[in-house]
Amino acid sequence: MADVGKLAERLRAALGARRVITDRQELRTYECDGLAHYKVIPALVALPADAGQTAAVVRACVDAGVPFVARGSGTGLSGGALPHADGVLIVTAQMRQIRAVDPADERAVVEPGVINLHVTRAATPHGYYYAPDPSSQQICSIGGNVAENSGGAHCLKYGFTTNHVTGLQVVTPDGEITRLGGRSLDPPGYDLLGAFVGSEGTLGVATEVTVRLTRLPEAVRTLLAAFHGTDEAGAATSAIIGAGVVPAAIEMMDALAIEAAEAAVACGYPQGAGAVLIVELDGPAAEVAAQFDEVTRLCEENGAFEIRIAADDAERALFWKGRKSAFAAVGRISPDYIVQDGVIPRTALPEVLRRIGDLATSHGVRVANVFHAGDGNLHPLVLFDDGVAGEAERAEAASGAIIDLCIEYGGSITGEHGVGADKAKYMPRMFTDDDLDTMQLVRCAFDPAGLANPGKVFPTPRLCGERPGRHRGAHPPQEAAEPGWQGAEVF
Amino acid sequence: MADVGKLAERLRAALGARRVITDRQELRTYECDGLAHYKVIPALVALPADAGQTAAVVRACVDAGVPFVARGSGTGLSGGALPHADGVLIVTAQMRQIRAVDPADERAVVEPGVINLHVTRAATPHGYYYAPDPSSQQICSIGGNVAENSGGAHCLKYGFTTNHVTGLQVVTPDGEITRLGGRSLDPPGYDLLGAFVGSEGTLGVATEVTVRLTRLPEAVRTLLAAFHGTDEAGAATSAIIGAGVVPAAIEMMDALAIEAAEAAVACGYPQGAGAVLIVELDGPAAEVAAQFDEVTRLCEENGAFEIRIAADDAERALFWKGRKSAFAAVGRISPDYIVQDGVIPRTALPEVLRRIGDLATSHGVRVANVFHAGDGNLHPLVLFDDGVAGEAERAEAASGAIIDLCIEYGGSITGEHGVGADKAKYMPRMFTDDDLDTMQLVRCAFDPAGLANPGKVFPTPRLCGERPGRHRGAHPPQEAAEPGWQGAEVF
């Protein structure tokens, strides 16, 4: 264990006293991120003002041999910013300047602590916005979005954070400042930008982010379709995508999620709905109008018993209010809940939702489903009461079983919340040893000392050196089978 | 120098005799790729049948300590597949099975030797196609496209190869078989898929490629607009993009390129044109119709003196015939030429084209311009006669000066042809030492022995080990300035 006092002294000299926190009460503020299930008080918090100070903190950590964890607004849901008790937490919240907005080249350059929604606010007067929209966009930071490759309801059409970041300035785990990517797409050399985005702080700390701005659409139209159950709503989702329409968003809520939303915000969704879809189209007015009629027809054909079309922005906001409040609203109908995050092939939606229902029954818990139906990104909310003995354990087991289900269907253990501290244990379920070894190669190249957010993403911490578990010559390499290509036309 | 006879023996045992070439005459077939400027006869050619055989070849090379270079159809234009005289050329052309086409999930799985256009042919009956369309698409291979992150005229709207590959099976430089990505977008862990695509064979050999299929558009409309000069055509291009229209393609040809195309294929472009634009819109019929009128208007407003609208597929093909034949057509008006490939910000098109004209004059050569105007990807053709003493040198100098110009304007040294053997020397002009060191970290992680396509992409071959040129503590890290943010609104 390093001498925290000495480290604090060095950091105060480099950053100034008010940028270094060692008071135990103040440190407690940073003990967890949005996943409050895990809590660890860091030894020290540093709040660097710029890339140079960030590099100074990282170099001090390397010299002292202590781990460091970067944190933006702390809204993450996988424990990616969970501190180490003997480590430094690097909080980027004070780097929050929007450095440039350039509509002609459709780019903005921002510091990592800038709030997601503030990029859009700066771009809107120019006719642009920043497309990725996590539910937490009013508070989450761009740096955190980069670390977690954050998504959002509208990423169905527009893609995740990785599709909107064209350049980064980063501090590498040995304390150097380097640039990945730039203003233009697809520069020569290795695309390490893509590897960095979503690396959850294990490859370094982003200190400047160049993002693509998206033109505000000419038209936006939103409908709310009520179905008797999730089977019909799932079928409608598949029919819409199958028809070649790519809505900006297709969101689904099941009966329990609707019940929670009504209890919390009285959103007035159609009575008796077993599931609702919110479908939003945006783009050129001519295209939106034509496709909107098609979406309406496909919802009707697949069993929608009521379809409401937002007449204006106010009504559109009301449709979204229920959806956006759903996570928090669950607190109205259950004392505790786990937010799960997994992905399945969209075509399997009805079947997987039925099996989630079966899992809920067999585990004796309730599960509410609120999710990005268009891209099969499930967010089951597993409800429980921590005051009832055994319920938390049953909820945890049900939540894990849902992830098993996602893997069984050839999906993913996380859609947009990241692996973090929470899901590292599942990684070997999704990747072969060879796959993980290849990732480890890159991690060790950037961070041979293993000090950049250790314990996150990867299942077993191991020392860098020889490629572990690699066979050579004695037996032929095994080909890792890729699951889930059932039903494909095979030649 | 390794014992080629022994290596050949080992490979014949592993692959079968007919998959190993050592005959000097046969080897000569492989002495260069599409950039015939450089020629090297490899020591040995291997034609593996599958991933297992490819891994066997790589392991044999590692054991013998000889370099290996992968080659698809050999149509590359940067010498990326240039062999080593004492090395093995791994030709993937015999891995050419389309393994699956799955329209429901919009994916196809193909072997690396599959021809680009054949993916589209297999997908078309299902209403889909493969979007990236290099001019060589009738002959180039998907594996080569992955190595070079190939583009094409329609990548303006649809993105480069990297936007269409969702999964790879690769043989790493130590002969292991691993998977990067999969069927779904954005899986957890590091996105090494993005780093591999465009790595030009320096991180391994792709042995299976999962690609995204794109729905065939409901409507396609194409126009040919004739302008008095490139200034007007460039302004029209900027106006179209600035209006928020994203055509499938905006291609420009200048007077000299038009002259060459007319001489070769008699495409019948408007008389007296100093520049033509081919603008193609695709998508939902309603959107295309509305935007087509807007594009026509913007061309007129920016000085188009004649606009032809393709009445049918035959006329559309005729518009494209001139464009697609232009490179080869230049042979009609000049005995020799260099195809250059660089990128500039689209808004700088008129200015840069004028300066290219000045460079041509000052170097005493002619330059024809045929290029992807929409994304600022220039393809200047520098004409010369190798029979005239000094002309080749002057053409080479002019071609290099054009790349300098691209860098000066904050652009890129290559848009879609790759760095290869040809442009490695320019990399330090585009990247700082720290940037290149970071790439080198990854290269060394994958290929510590430096046997995977050495001499390509990176300027100075160096041994893997300590991070070279990295400073520590003594002086503060220098921040690499990103060029070209002039004119942005700065806060």
Side-chain angles (χ1 to χ4, degrees):
Chain A
M1 172 91 193
D3 182 337
V4 174
K6 262 196 170 161
L7 185 58
E9 200 179 309
R10 175 169 168 180
L11 293 182
R12 285 198 181 96
L15 276 61
R18 64 183 181 83
R19 297 190 173 278
V20 180
I21 298 172
T22 51
D23 176 77
R24 187 93 183 150
Q25 270 314 105
E26 285 184 67
L27 290 175
R28 193 176 285 281
T29 318
Y30 300 98
E31 68 184 0
C32 67
D33 59 12
L35 183 75
H37 186 61
Y38 304 100
K39 288 179 183 169
V40 175
I41 299 175
L44 188 156
V45 167
L47 297 129
D50 55 27
Q53 289 196 352
T54 307
V57 176
V58 169
R59 285 198 303 277
C61 290
V62 171
D63 290 346
V66 308
F68 57 91
V69 176
R71 172 188 165 115
S73 298
T75 56
L77 290 168
S78 61
L82 184 72
H84 281 257
D86 58 350
V88 172
L89 189 72
I90 303 175
V91 177
T92 61
Q94 297 197 1
M95 294 187 263
R96 57 186 169 198
Q97 208 195 345
I98 295 178
R99 291 190 180 166
V101 171
D102 183 353
D105 273 323
E106 307 190 326
R107 296 286 183 276
V109 182
V110 306
E111 292 183 346
V114 168
I115 302 302
N116 174 298
L117 194 61
H118 294 184
V119 183
T120 287
R121 282 196 194 142
T124 302
H126 304 282
Y128 285 85
Y129 73 112
Y130 178 61
D133 59 340
S135 296
S136 56
Q137 70 180 132
Q138 299 194 350
I139 174 174
C140 66
S141 72
I142 292 292
N145 293 174
V146 167
E148 300 296 327
N149 187 21
S150 302
H154 292 79
C155 291
L156 169 61
K157 179 170 180 177
Y158 292 102
F160 282 60
T161 299
T162 193
N163 301 112
H164 297 269
V165 172
T166 71
L168 289 173
Q169 180 198 56
V170 307
V171 173
T172 57
D174 65 350
E176 301 296 335
I177 299 174
T178 189
R179 285 197 177 270
L180 309 175
R183 285 165 85 198
S184 56
L185 296 168
D186 304 312
Y190 300 147
D191 176 15
L192 300 179
L193 184 69
F196 191 95
V197 176
S199 64
E200 306 194 17
T202 62
L203 299 181
V205 184
T207 47
E208 186 191 275
V209 186
T210 303
V211 299
R212 212 152 58 85
L213 298 175
T214 303
R215 185 170 283 265
L216 287 165
E218 190 188 344
V220 181
R221 293 194 71 184
T222 312
L223 68 75
L224 180 83
F227 298 83
H228 292 296
T230 52
D231 275 20
E232 291 88 343
T237 302
S238 284
I240 292 166
I241 302 281
V245 180
V246 183
I250 308 183
E251 299 286 304
M252 199 194 297
M253 295 168 70
D254 70 4
L256 193 52
I258 297 169
E259 180 192 329
E262 292 291 354
V265 299
C267 44
Y269 287 173
Q271 292 264 323
V276 297
L277 285 184
I278 297 174
V279 184
E280 189 158 284
L281 292 168
D282 68 10
E287 175 188 350
V288 168
Q291 295 195 333
F292 199 78
D293 293 344
E294 195 175 359
V295 167
T296 307
R297 183 177 57 77
L298 291 168
C299 285
E300 284 168 353
E301 283 178 11
N302 284 279
F305 67 82
E306 184 174 340
I307 294 178
R308 294 183 189 167
I309 296 165
D312 51 28
D313 283 355
E315 198 171 358
R316 182 176 157 235
L318 195 65
F319 290 178
W320 279 107
K321 192 176 179 188
R323 163 65 184 87
K324 292 201 171 174
S325 65
F327 281 20
V330 160
R332 296 290 185 109
I333 60 166
S334 174
D336 304 287
Y337 63 95
I338 298 167
V339 181
Q340 192 44 282
D341 167 47
V343 182
I344 54 162
R346 192 184 50 243
T347 44
L349 265 181
E351 191 177 330
V352 171
L353 289 175
R354 270 197 303 278
R355 290 191 59 186
I356 289 177
D358 295 345
L359 283 173
T361 307
S362 66
H363 286 78
V365 292
R366 292 188 299 166
V367 176
N369 287 290
V370 191
F371 60 99
H372 311 312
D375 44 18
N377 184 185
L378 304 176
H379 288 313
L381 298 156
V382 184
L383 315 188
F384 67 99
D385 182 348
D386 208 12
V388 177
E391 265 204 22
E393 291 71 22
R394 290 208 307 276
E396 194 64 52
S399 179
I402 290 170
I403 286 303
D404 292 342
L405 209 54
C406 292
I407 296 169
E408 182 188 329
Y409 280 81
S412 172
I413 60 173
T414 168
E416 54 187 11
H417 296 174
V419 177
D422 197 36
K423 291 186 170 171
K425 60 181 178 289
Y426 295 122
M427 288 288 276
R429 305 280 308 277
M430 225 186 128
F431 296 102
T432 66
D433 281 352
D434 271 351
D435 295 340
L436 291 173
D437 286 351
T438 305
M439 293 185 201
Q440 182 76 359
L441 278 183
V442 174
R443 180 174 204 167
C444 289
F446 275 77
D447 182 23
L451 298 174
N453 213 7
K456 313 294 168 64
V457 186
F458 296 104
T460 355
R462 52 187 172 208
L463 296 175
C464 296
E466 273 307 288
R467 284 179 88 159
R470 291 254 156 177
H471 39 75
R472 226 19 189 317
H475 50 278
Q478 298 297 313
E479 182 175 340
E482 198 187 355
W485 271 97
Q486 313 94 325
E489 179 185 334
V490 175
F491 291 83
Chain B
M1 172 89 195
D3 182 338
V4 174
K6 262 194 169 163
L7 185 58
E9 201 177 310
R10 175 169 168 182
L11 293 183
R12 285 197 182 97
L15 276 61
R18 66 184 179 82
R19 297 191 173 279
V20 181
I21 298 172
T22 51
D23 175 78
R24 187 93 183 151
Q25 270 315 104
E26 286 183 68
L27 290 175
R28 194 176 285 279
T29 317
Y30 299 98
E31 69 184 359
C32 67
D33 59 12
L35 183 75
H37 186 61
Y38 304 100
K39 290 179 182 169
V40 175
I41 299 174
L44 189 157
V45 167
L47 297 128
D50 55 27
Q53 289 196 353
T54 306
V57 176
V58 169
R59 285 198 304 276
C61 289
V62 171
D63 290 346
V66 307
F68 57 90
V69 177
R71 173 188 164 114
S73 299
T75 54
L77 290 169
S78 60
L82 184 72
H84 282 257
D86 58 351
V88 172
L89 189 72
I90 302 176
V91 176
T92 61
Q94 297 196 1
M95 294 187 264
R96 56 184 169 200
Q97 208 195 343
I98 295 178
R99 290 190 180 165
V101 171
D102 183 353
D105 272 323
E106 306 190 327
R107 295 286 182 275
V109 182
V110 306
E111 293 182 347
V114 168
I115 303 302
N116 174 299
L117 195 61
H118 293 184
V119 183
T120 287
R121 280 195 196 144
T124 301
H126 303 283
Y128 284 85
Y129 73 113
Y130 178 62
D133 59 340
S135 296
S136 56
Q137 70 180 131
Q138 299 193 349
I139 174 174
C140 66
S141 72
I142 294 292
N145 292 174
V146 168
E148 300 297 326
N149 187 21
S150 301
H154 291 79
C155 291
L156 170 60
K157 178 169 181 177
Y158 292 102
F160 282 60
T161 300
T162 193
N163 301 113
H164 296 269
V165 172
T166 70
L168 289 173
Q169 181 198 56
V170 307
V171 173
T172 58
D174 65 350
E176 302 295 334
I177 299 173
T178 191
R179 284 198 177 271
L180 309 175
R183 285 165 84 198
S184 56
L185 296 169
D186 304 313
Y190 299 147
D191 176 15
L192 300 178
L193 183 69
F196 191 95
V197 176
S199 64
E200 306 194 18
T202 62
L203 298 181
V205 184
T207 47
E208 186 190 275
V209 186
T210 302
V211 298
R212 212 152 59 85
L213 297 175
T214 303
R215 185 171 284 263
L216 287 165
E218 190 189 344
V220 181
R221 294 194 71 184
T222 312
L223 67 75
L224 181 83
F227 298 82
H228 291 296
T230 51
D231 275 21
E232 291 88 344
T237 302
S238 283
I240 292 166
I241 302 281
V245 180
V246 184
I250 307 182
E251 299 287 303
M252 199 194 297
M253 295 168 68
D254 70 4
L256 194 53
I258 297 168
E259 180 192 328
E262 292 291 354
V265 298
C267 44
Y269 286 172
Q271 291 264 323
V276 297
L277 285 185
I278 297 174
V279 185
E280 189 158 283
L281 291 169
D282 68 11
E287 175 189 351
V288 168
Q291 295 195 333
F292 198 78
D293 292 343
E294 194 175 0
V295 167
T296 307
R297 183 176 56 76
L298 291 168
C299 284
E300 283 168 354
E301 283 178 12
N302 283 280
F305 67 82
E306 183 174 340
I307 294 179
R308 294 183 190 168
I309 296 165
D312 50 29
D313 282 354
E315 198 171 356
R316 183 176 155 234
L318 196 65
F319 289 179
W320 279 106
K321 192 177 178 187
R323 165 63 185 89
K324 292 201 171 174
S325 66
F327 282 19
V330 159
R332 296 291 185 107
I333 60 166
S334 174
D336 304 287
Y337 64 95
I338 298 167
V339 182
Q340 191 45 281
D341 167 49
V343 181
I344 54 162
R346 192 185 50 244
T347 44
L349 266 180
E351 190 176 330
V352 171
L353 288 175
R354 270 198 303 278
R355 291 191 58 184
I356 289 177
D358 296 344
L359 282 173
T361 307
S362 65
H363 285 80
V365 293
R366 292 188 299 166
V367 176
N369 287 292
V370 192
F371 60 99
H372 311 312
D375 44 18
N377 184 186
L378 303 176
H379 287 313
L381 298 155
V382 184
L383 316 188
F384 67 99
D385 182 348
D386 209 12
V388 177
E391 265 206 20
E393 291 71 21
R394 291 206 307 278
E396 194 64 51
S399 178
I402 290 171
I403 286 304
D404 292 341
L405 210 54
C406 291
I407 296 168
E408 182 188 329
Y409 280 82
S412 171
I413 60 174
T414 167
E416 54 187 11
H417 295 174
V419 177
D422 198 35
K423 290 186 170 172
K425 61 181 177 291
Y426 295 121
M427 287 289 275
R429 304 281 308 278
M430 225 185 129
F431 297 101
T432 65
D433 282 352
D434 271 351
D435 294 340
L436 292 172
D437 286 351
T438 305
M439 293 185 200
Q440 182 76 0
L441 278 184
V442 174
R443 181 176 203 165
C444 289
F446 275 79
D447 182 25
L451 297 175
N453 212 8
K456 314 294 168 64
V457 185
F458 296 104
T460 353
R462 52 187 172 206
L463 296 175
C464 295
E466 274 305 289
R467 284 180 89 160
R470 292 257 157 175
H471 38 78
R472 221 27 184 315
H475 50 279
Q478 298 297 312
E479 182 176 339
E482 198 186 355
W485 271 97
Q486 313 94 324
E489 178 185 334
V490 174
F491 292 83

